[in-house]
């Protein structure tokens, strides 16, 4: 079976209230977390998972009162150039979900085909008012280089699986990637390591904490258990310590 490495490409950081990440926990705690595009290195074609969003662009979409701010790390071009890649050279983008911090550069990938779950696309194109701050249809509307998928898709490419993991959004997908150290799984839903470490006060009741942003917290919980069960290497998609990591494994 083919083996790959995963390269995290940080594009920006997000400053938020931590409770937006940890359901009913850490309220009033200011928190910074990175926002990545991921390069699956070792494939015959150039495959990214998500495209991140540049800070200035993201901030330009937010009202001054909105309590979220993006902080620049590097441009999408520079992030790709660090791996010898160009925007024009991207063949595929696997979209974990439709939140704006994951699709901000996708329309710029002019030669790429992107994969998204059907339920997620529907939500992105006509978001419920409750989701309108994070689901921005203009970031992908008119994008016709799109392949919609439904449910688990084993071996989308050899050794690369789409793992249906709804709850944070209606059609979130995690991405499983074969590596020499087993199956690395990019969570798909927005989370940090804390989400998988039981919080002291709820430890007797449940082992994982869903994101504070969700369309169904119980489904989000079940998806976390599913993803953690599959992964040899679990990658919580916004984990701050990943800023120190150049390659997985
Ligand atoms: Zn996110």
């Amino acid at each position: 079976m083919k083996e790959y490495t995963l390269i995290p490409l940080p594009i920006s950081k997000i400053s938020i209230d931590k409770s937006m990440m940890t359901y009913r926990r850490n309220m009033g705690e200011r928190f910074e977390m990175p926002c990545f595009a991921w390069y699956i290195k070792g494939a015959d074609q150039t495959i990214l998972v998500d495209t991140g969003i540049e800070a200035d662009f993201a901030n330009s979409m937010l009202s001054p009162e909105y309590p979220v701010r993006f902080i620049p790390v590097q441009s999408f071009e520079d992030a790709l150039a660090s791996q010898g890649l160009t925007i024009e050279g991207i063949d595929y983008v696997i979209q974990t979900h439709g939140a704006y911090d994951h699709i901000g550069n996708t329309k710029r990938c002019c030669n790429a085909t992107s994969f998204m779950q059907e339920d997620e696309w529907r939500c992105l194109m006509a978001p419920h008012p409750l989701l309108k701050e994070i689901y921005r249809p203009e970031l992908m509307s008119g994008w016709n280089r799109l392949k919609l998928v439904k449910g688990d898709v084993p071996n989308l490419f050899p050794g690369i699986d789409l793992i249906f993991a709804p709850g944070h959004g209606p059609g979130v997908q995690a991405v499983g990637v074969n590596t020499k150290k087993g199956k690395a799984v990019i969570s798909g839903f927005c989370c940090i390591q804390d989400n998988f470490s039981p919080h002291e006060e709820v430890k007797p009741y449940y082992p994982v904490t869903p994101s504070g942003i969700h369309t169904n917290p119980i489904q989000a919980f079940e998806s976390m258990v599913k993803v953690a069960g599959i992964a040899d290497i679990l990658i919580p998609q916004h984990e701050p310590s990943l800023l120190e990591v150049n390659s997985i494994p």
Side-chain angles (χ1 to χ4, degrees):
M1 183 60 94
K2 215 165 161 55
E3 289 174 350
Y4 307 90
T5 51
L6 275 167
I7 312 292
L9 302 172
I11 309 295
S12 54
K13 289 196 280 185
I14 317 176
S15 171
I16 53 164
D17 192 275
K18 198 171 176 185
S19 64
M20 288 176 81
M21 293 311 294
T22 51
Y23 178 58
R24 299 195 302 173
R25 304 279 164 258
N26 308 109
M27 288 165 198
E29 238 179 80
R30 203 68 196 172
F31 181 68
E32 264 180 30
M33 61 181 200
C35 188
F36 295 99
W38 300 84
Y39 170 39
I40 302 180
K41 196 173 176 177
D44 297 334
Q45 283 148 316
T46 304
I47 308 171
L48 297 186
V49 177
D50 290 345
T51 57
I53 194 164
E54 291 180 0
D56 290 348
F57 178 51
N59 287 332
S60 74
M61 294 195 295
L62 304 175
S63 72
E65 297 76 26
Y66 189 63
V68 169
R69 278 295 165 267
F70 284 77
I71 301 156
V73 175
Q74 61 183 332
S75 69
F76 187 50
E77 288 94 328
D78 286 353
L80 294 174
S82 72
Q83 297 300 314
L85 305 174
T86 61
I87 290 180
E88 297 74 25
I90 306 301
D91 297 306
Y92 295 103
V93 178
I94 299 171
Q95 301 290 177
T96 62
H97 63 295
Y100 67 150
D101 54 315
H102 297 260
I103 63 171
N105 293 298
T106 300
K107 265 192 180 177
R108 300 171 67 191
C109 301
C110 50
N111 295 315
T113 297
S114 51
F115 295 94
M116 189 183 269
Q117 289 281 332
E118 208 176 293
D119 293 346
E120 192 69 8
W121 177 254
R122 211 174 297 125
C123 173
L124 173 60
M125 287 300 113
H128 185 277
L130 197 55
L131 299 172
K132 275 188 175 166
E133 63 191 68
I134 50 170
Y135 282 82
R136 306 288 186 136
E138 66 271 24
L139 293 178
M140 281 188 77
S141 59
W143 182 248
N144 52 16
R145 304 179 66 90
L146 176 73
K147 286 214 164 103
L148 294 178
V149 295
K150 209 166 172 54
D152 290 336
V153 182
N155 292 307
L156 175 73
F157 300 99
I160 300 174
D161 307 321
L162 304 181
I163 302 157
F164 191 49
H168 173 60
V172 173
Q173 54 189 354
V175 183
V177 177
N178 268 8
T179 74
K180 64 179 181 209
K181 294 204 169 157
K183 183 74 77 183
V185 180
I186 299 174
S187 65
F189 40 81
C190 298
C191 65
I192 52 179
Q193 186 57 48
D194 273 18
N195 293 93
F196 288 95
S197 316
H199 283 228
E200 239 2 271
E201 67 271 33
V202 292
K203 219 173 187 169
Y205 309 110
Y206 50 88
V208 298
T209 305
S211 170
I213 298 169
H214 45 73
T215 51
N216 181 333
I218 293 173
Q219 206 179 33
F221 177 101
E222 301 301 339
S223 290
M224 293 182 74
V225 172
K226 174 181 178 180
V227 164
I230 292 169
D232 298 308
I233 305 169
L234 178 60
I235 305 170
Q237 211 156 333
H238 289 290
E239 168 55 29
S241 64
L242 289 171
L243 281 168
E244 312 305 321
V245 172
N246 295 321
S247 169
I248 301 169

